[in-house]
Amino acid sequence: MSIFQAYNRISEYLDISRIIKDAPMKEHTSFKVGGNTALLIMPQSIDELLFVISVCKLHNVKYYILGNGTNLIVKDSGYDGVIIKLSEFFNKISIEGNRITAQAGALISAVSAKAAQNALSGLEFASGIPGTVGGAIVMNAGAYGGEMSQVVERVKAFDSEGNIVELTEAELKFSYRNSIFQERPYIVLEAEMKLENGDMEIIKNTMKDFTERRTKKQPL
């Protein structure tokens, strides 16, 4: 394993400001604890993400895909590999009609807010979920009667052979807090969600109600 070779190769392709050596993971997780990782890399496109993964494989360097670091505990001894964090830059959200396409690193709460701003209903349940789109799809996250399986139509992912694949709703095998991504070593890249046109005020009031209920049950 040559973490230094991997660093040198990746630094030729990515902006050096998005590559951190000996990064303290307590600054990148919600619990604010844990040791350092040899390298923390923050890609901002699918091409960059796939390049980093290919370099890690080439140099036999282990890697871990991190969303927003929510509910993740990193051991005090750290991680002697590459942690690829998606939430900093790999987080684009776009809307076309009643469909939202979001990269894996986008906060699912931000996607929910974007939907509300465009009077699109279906993601109100996700307004208080702290994770990313990628994590929400992997575990079929849900709350208050809603879950990702109800809105996700297509997911673009990276398979173990290095290919980009597109999975349809049926292929995602959603079930309670589960999906195909817990069975196969795929990496979620982006998702397309189909929502319904709705009344902006009703959508925002529903989200406000969910937030108040969540705060009462789980006071920060």
Side-chain angles (χ1 to χ4, degrees):
M1 181 177 75
S2 176
I3 194 74
F4 299 106
Q5 287 179 307
Y7 170 79
N8 289 335
R9 185 71 186 91
I10 292 169
S11 63
E12 294 174 357
Y13 190 77
L14 270 69
D15 190 303
I16 198 70
S17 66
R18 291 187 279 112
I19 306 172
I20 304 174
K21 292 182 179 179
D22 200 30
M25 290 311 298
K26 65 182 180 180
E27 296 179 4
H28 299 275
T29 60
S30 61
F31 286 124
K32 305 301 180 185
V33 297
N36 294 5
T37 181
L39 284 180
L40 177 74
I41 298 175
M42 296 171 282
Q44 62 180 10
S45 67
I46 289 177
D47 287 343
E48 286 188 355
L49 173 60
L50 300 189
F51 178 79
V52 171
I53 292 174
S54 66
V55 170
C56 289
K57 289 183 175 181
L58 177 64
H59 293 289
N60 196 30
V61 173
K62 64 181 181 180
Y63 62 91
Y64 181 86
I65 304 297
L66 180 71
N68 195 43
T70 306
N71 296 342
L72 179 73
I73 296 178
V74 180
K75 59 185 178 181
D76 290 340
S77 58
Y79 185 74
D80 59 343
V82 174
I83 289 185
I84 304 170
K85 187 176 183 181
L86 302 183
S87 63
E88 296 294 329
F89 298 98
F90 197 76
N91 54 16
K92 291 189 176 78
I93 303 169
S94 61
I95 296 179
E96 186 172 342
N98 65 339
R99 282 177 164 80
I100 291 185
T101 299
Q103 290 184 318
L107 294 177
I108 189 62
S109 58
V111 180
S112 176
K114 190 84 169 179
Q117 291 166 8
N118 287 269
L120 294 175
S121 177
L123 273 174
E124 291 90 335
F125 73 89
S127 60
I129 296 176
T132 58
V133 168
I137 289 174
V138 169
M139 68 170 293
N140 188 21
Y144 303 112
E147 60 183 21
M148 297 303 290
S149 63
Q150 297 170 357
V151 296
V152 174
E153 280 204 330
R154 178 189 62 85
V155 173
K156 183 179 290 185
F158 184 54
D159 69 15
S160 58
E161 303 300 318
N163 305 306
I164 294 179
V165 296
E166 288 196 5
L167 303 175
T168 63
E169 182 180 358
E171 294 170 318
L172 294 170
K173 294 185 178 180
F174 281 127
S175 60
Y176 183 74
R177 301 299 174 262
N178 201 354
S179 72
I180 187 68
F181 300 104
Q182 295 187 42
E183 300 174 12
R184 299 185 184 181
Y186 290 168
I187 297 171
V188 177
L189 298 175
E190 67 177 34
E192 181 181 302
M193 291 159 271
K194 182 180 179 182
L195 305 178
E196 300 293 333
N197 294 314
D199 182 281
M200 186 182 299
E201 287 305 311
I202 293 176
I203 293 170
K204 288 185 176 181
N205 286 337
T206 299
M207 291 168 64
K208 181 180 178 182
D209 176 56
F210 288 164
T211 299
E212 291 175 350
R213 289 160 62 182
R214 183 183 296 270
T215 302
K216 288 179 182 178
K217 290 181 180 179
Q218 303 170 355
L220 295 178

